[in-house]
Amino acid sequence: MASEKVTSMDVAKKAGVSQSAVSRVLTPGASASKKTAAKVISAVNELGYRPNIIARTLITGKSRIIGLVVAYLNNRFYPKVLEKLSNKLQKEGYQVLIFIAQNTDDDISNVIEGILEYQVDAIVAASVGMSSDLAARCQASGVPIVLFNRGQTNSALSSVTSDNFKGGWKAAKHLLELGHKKIGYIAGWEGASTQLDRESGFVAALKEKKITITHREVGNFVRNEAQDAARRMFSNQNHPTAVFVASDHMAFAVIDVLRSELGFRVPEDISLIGFDDVSLASYSAYNLTTIKQPITQMVESTVNILLDQINHPQVQKNQIIKIDPTLIKRNSTSSVKDSK
Amino acid sequence: MASEKVTSMDVAKKAGVSQSAVSRVLTPGASASKKTAAKVISAVNELGYRPNIIARTLITGKSRIIGLVVAYLNNRFYPKVLEKLSNKLQKEGYQVLIFIAQNTDDDISNVIEGILEYQVDAIVAASVGMSSDLAARCQASGVPIVLFNRGQTNSALSSVTSDNFKGGWKAAKHLLELGHKKIGYIAGWEGASTQLDRESGFVAALKEKKITITHREVGNFVRNEAQDAARRMFSNQNHPTAVFVASDHMAFAVIDVLRSELGFRVPEDISLIGFDDVSLASYSAYNLTTIKQPITQMVESTVNILLDQINHPQVQKNQIIKIDPTLIKRNSTSSVKDSK
DNA sequence: TACTATTTTGCATACGAATGCAAAAAATAA
DNA sequence: TTATTTTTTGCATTCGTATGCAAAATAGTA
């Protein structure tokens, strides 16, 4: 059956030059005469030679692989991130090695250790919390890490998020402008910085108007938990007229429950606002008003930080980037009805 | 700043043994006395040693990396596949290296060449067409390839799909049972074997009842093209009462257009059936009747084939696996009204 | 105890490409 | 032409781990 692998030695022999000559011809910065270059190139083509990145990695110390840790792929937000990130990195000559982790300290720790074995040039941890000692170990390993969509209390690591506090704030402003007074909140997983910041921002803006949340439930960023949260929140007469749901993914769950189980209309009876602006939010079945996370910019910043840290390992500066999210008004929110 | 990388030599020195002893202790199959094993293990822990997979790859020829080529990440179907595939492979000690390709022969060819440089142990090509000469080159490279969710005319490569013909057949049967006579079809990208097979099966089942498709449009598996297709199909009075849409992703687009632009009710006015059974299909906002692709089984088969081919490279048998899809009845289809 | 069978260990080498160094070749100057 | 500078080239080594082989240590047998 199949061809043996062809190495730079084979090319060298075929071209009648040394292996180092082959290497130099194929390395952009190196010196080689046109004559040998030509010979090498034609030998490369004839033999169908492809350099072995693994061998190259061993000697250069650069694998051109970026490790990506993800926890929730079921949330629509992350496939998009993966796509954009991978595309952008591919353009820069890097590839993405995927690691799926459960969101527990233990598992994340294991996964990160595993990543390091692959000699990745950098790590992106998307929506994954990091204990500070794990963070420390990562730093020690010398591999740059960027937290994506998760902040960190001790800011030892670089992170890129949208400004979740501001996002929560804007959500509140929007509901207030529409005249809502009885306002609920459905929280995400409380271990996530995104959840905390969104809620703080939301509460802070309400407080300015001397309003506090009347109802609060936890959905943990999970569909069926969000559904349960909605059922609890709207199980009695005294329910809010507007709800901020900490992610679009959960907001869809809430809308489904409100409309098809509980018989509410959205937005006529209840106003709902989400967070993320995943593509489904714009489908007319939901038409969800939401706070848009600027994925493109977030990914861009992430890649910039990564490349910067890969190329200048000596300067140990960690950056905290927060990008302004924007309110996208659609049709899941409306002015409060004169109640009763 | 940070720690230099610790190698097996460092461990050896610390433990007072040779480097080969360290290697043997850490390699499952090899012989080592309990005494040295203990010394090595404790040195490993003290130094926080992690083996360098890259170096190991160089010598063993096994990278424990599987290359995954994907074209459409926007279709809900693929993130799920990625998640399941990655999870399963992780359990087997492999990782997934992602490559995003445009669905053109040229780009795919480039991407595959790129993958091979990384010395992956196998390649999964998800919903990516493969010209037969590219297939040949892959075979030549000796790296096992499995096509996922795409068949191939010349069956030189292994492939795992659901039985799309049968799926189309079942969709037709369902609509026929509901009494529909005027039936339309919205096609996916005509370069995809999935599209062709689904349509053939659908048409064949109709033909058995002497019925032919009255309307046909092409949506290319893309949302806005599917929307246009729907607009064209329902722009005049003489429209079908039921439509089979070649993917759920497109079906949602069609439903949105029917309901919110054209004022039809689904399923009262128009019955719709999709293909895939992505999670959104079960949300009450759509409640889409569809043909379920058995992702779990498909991924399982894929992984089995991969591991089999990795572990027994000599036997060059390529498998064509087609798994029966099942009809999931929800609420986007109903009996035909007595028309006029 | 002495001798053989078995296990454990270290030495040396290999994997494939990149690179410092010095020799060879080519280009330039005198 | 010869001397000198510059470029090109090959040799040898390196990265970190695995493994065949032979030596050393241990266990087993008589």
Side-chain angles (χ1 to χ4, degrees), chain A residues 8 23 28 31 35 46 120 165 246 271-273 293:
Chain A
S8 61
S23 172
S31 70
K35 231 189 297 178
E46 269 186 72
V120 297
F165 185 92
S271 284
L272 270 188
I273 181 168
Q293 298 225 58

Side-chain angles (χ1 to χ4, degrees), chain B residues 237-262:
Chain B
Q237 288 298 68
N238 179 34
H239 58 70
T241 61
V243 182
F244 174 36
V245 187
S247 79
D248 283 359
H249 188 61
M250 292 198 297
F252 303 133
V254 173
I255 292 185
D256 285 341
V257 166
L258 289 180
R259 285 184 179 155
S260 61
E261 280 183 28
L262 306 179

Side-chain angles (χ1 to χ4, degrees), chain B residues 11-28:
Chain B
V11 175
K13 242 171 253 167
K14 181 113 193 172
V17 298
S18 72
Q19 179 268 323
S20 33
V22 174
S23 171
R24 277 190 260 262
V25 169
L26 301 184
T27 305

Side-chain angles (χ1 to χ4, degrees), chain B residues 173-221:
Chain B
K173 280 294 178 197
H174 177 61
L175 296 183
L176 289 171
E177 273 169 22
L178 293 173
H180 292 280
K181 300 266 158 49
K182 288 170 64 178
I183 297 179
Y185 177 68
I186 293 184
W189 179 53
E190 314 225 23
S193 65
T194 41
Q195 144 58 28
L196 299 178
D197 295 346
R198 286 169 197 177
E199 181 164 7
S200 318
F202 188 68
V203 168
L206 293 183
K207 192 168 183 187
E208 242 194 8
K209 300 289 179 197
K210 312 249 188 289
I211 291 183
T212 52
I213 287 172
T214 58
H215 296 70
R216 181 181 189 279
E217 298 286 347
V218 177
N220 279 328
F221 292 134

Side-chain angles (χ1 to χ4, degrees), chain A residues 227-228 230-231 253 255-264, chain B residues 284:
Chain A
Q227 290 178 311
D228 287 341
R231 290 180 193 118
I255 292 184
D256 285 341
V257 166
L258 290 181
R259 284 184 179 156
S260 61
E261 280 181 30
L262 306 179
F264 288 102
Chain B
S284 61

Side-chain angles (χ1 to χ4, degrees), chain A residues 69-71 100-109 111 128, chain B residues 83 87:
Chain A
V69 190
V70 196
I100 297 187
Q102 307 311 311
N103 221 329
T104 63
D105 280 5
D106 236 32
D107 195 48
I108 289 165
S109 181
V111 164
V128 156
Chain B
E83 185 187 345
N87 261 325

